[in-house]
């Protein structure tokens, strides 16, 4: 467990991202309930890295959309 695993800012970002494992859960919920999933921990690591760099939430979300497409968002972009 890392120091930012339960950071409210990290959790808020992860709740807006859909885990790419196909479970239909957000990244935070998947990584804290499905311990067999290998996708959500990797996505969490990417969120934490960007958060640690000081990237704002919108920048982090745009990076995920750029990498995975709009389907990575739990709700459509506005």
């Amino acid at each position: 467990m890392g120091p930012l695993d339960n950071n409210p800012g990290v959790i808020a970002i992860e709740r807006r991202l859909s885990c790419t494992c196909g479970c239909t859960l957000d990244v935070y919920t998947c990584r804290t309930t499905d311990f067999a999933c290998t996708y959500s921990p990797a996505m969490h690591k990417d969120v934490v890295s960007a958060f640690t760099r000081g990237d704002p939430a919108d920048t982090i979300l745009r990076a995920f959309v750029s990498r995975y497409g709009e389907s990575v968002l739990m709700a459509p972009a506005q």
Side-chain angles (χ1 to χ4, degrees):
M1 202 165 156
L4 293 177
D5 287 351
N6 293 313
N7 178 284
V10 169
I11 292 170
I13 293 165
E14 291 181 352
R15 288 201 180 275
R16 295 176 65 187
L17 294 170
S18 177
C19 183
T20 57
C21 76
C23 68
T24 72
L25 298 172
D26 62 72
V27 171
Y28 174 76
T29 303
C30 186
R31 77 173 172 88
T32 59
T33 60
D34 182 357
F35 301 113
C37 180
T38 59
Y39 294 85
S40 58
M43 294 175 81
H44 170 66
K45 183 178 176 185
D46 291 342
V47 170
V48 168
S49 292
F51 190 83
T52 300
R53 278 194 310 268
D55 293 354
D58 287 342
T59 299
I60 296 170
L61 294 170
R62 279 194 304 271
F64 273 86
V65 168
S66 175
R67 183 173 180 184
Y68 298 103
E70 290 262 338
S71 64
V72 78
L73 297 176
M74 290 300 290
Q78 296 182 24

